[in-house]
Amino acid sequence: MHFNAKETTIKKNLLKIVKFVDGDGIILEDIISKKEFEVRFLGIDAPEINYCNKIKQDEKELQVPAALLIKLGYLSFNFLKDQVNLGDYCTLVQEQNNLVDKYGRHLGYLILNDGRVLNEIMIKEGYAKPYNDVFCEMLPLYQEWNLQAKNSLKGLYSLVNRF
């Protein structure tokens, strides 16, 4: 993980993956309190898996049909599920100024037991793109890695040139 020491981060351990939401979201359980909470991966955006307002907006902005975006969303979702298993333990690292989104979901970087960062995997392998609407510490690197994935036709970029 490439954290800038100037940024204040919060690290939460003893978390277990209990449910997958989509290609950029997951449900974790605090194994001490047994409380579950939703996490949206900070700095990345994967296509939606359901028809919703965001898919309509993406369809208009990208000039890509909603049905194709949903198909891409499922490819992203399935790729995520191949990277980690339900019941796996992980660590959540959050930026002090980006703790929750407007829907109350926790925002953060998900670090797996082997030290890999799920957010980075999704970007580097072409199954998510940088989320440019909210600045986070990793955004410049995510933009760079996304361009590399796009130029190498990795992941979703093997099918489309934007999503």
Side-chain angles (χ1 to χ4, degrees):
M1 193 85 195
H2 311 276
F3 284 118
N4 181 340
K6 291 184 285 189
E7 267 309 314
T8 306
T9 57
I10 298 170
K11 190 174 178 180
K12 296 178 181 174
N13 296 308
L14 303 173
L15 301 173
K16 182 168 66 172
I17 297 168
V18 294
K19 185 179 177 191
F20 299 105
V21 176
D22 56 21
D24 56 24
I26 208 158
I27 306 285
L28 298 179
E29 177 188 77
D30 180 312
I31 63 171
I32 305 298
S33 70
K34 300 292 184 207
K35 288 187 180 164
E36 292 184 4
F37 57 98
E38 186 172 349
V39 173
R40 186 171 186 304
F41 303 143
L42 184 58
I44 73 169
D45 186 31
E48 301 300 316
I49 60 174
N50 296 305
Y51 194 78
C52 60
N53 285 336
K54 176 139 183 347
I55 207 100
K56 287 188 266 187
Q57 177 186 335
D58 290 345
E59 182 179 43
K60 212 179 284 181
E61 285 177 18
L62 300 168
Q63 296 294 302
V64 176
L68 177 55
L69 288 170
I70 290 171
K71 181 181 176 184
L72 296 172
Y74 273 102
L75 291 172
S76 178
F77 182 52
N78 289 329
F79 178 80
L80 172 68
K81 292 192 295 186
D82 287 343
Q83 303 309 303
V84 66
N85 298 306
L86 293 179
D88 283 357
Y89 292 96
C90 60
T91 299
L92 180 66
V93 174
Q94 294 183 281
E95 293 181 2
Q96 186 68 48
N97 60 342
N98 280 323
L99 295 175
V100 294
D101 68 7
K102 62 183 177 184
Y103 304 107
R105 300 176 294 192
H106 294 252
L107 297 170
Y109 306 102
L110 201 74
I111 304 172
L112 306 177
N113 275 341
D114 62 8
R116 295 180 306 147
V117 181
L118 211 41
N119 311 47
E120 292 181 13
I121 295 167
M122 297 300 291
I123 287 278
K124 286 180 175 178
E125 297 303 320
Y127 287 94
K129 63 184 180 184
Y131 184 67
N132 297 309
D133 292 358
V134 174
F135 183 80
C136 69
E137 185 181 319
M138 295 301 293
L139 188 58
L141 269 175
Y142 287 174
Q143 291 167 335
E144 182 182 322
W145 293 336
N146 180 64
L147 191 57
Q148 291 169 0
K150 186 175 184 175
N151 289 338
S152 302
L153 302 178
K154 285 182 139 186
L156 303 182
Y157 291 117
S158 68
L159 303 169
V160 294
N161 66 356
R162 63 179 174 224
F163 57 87

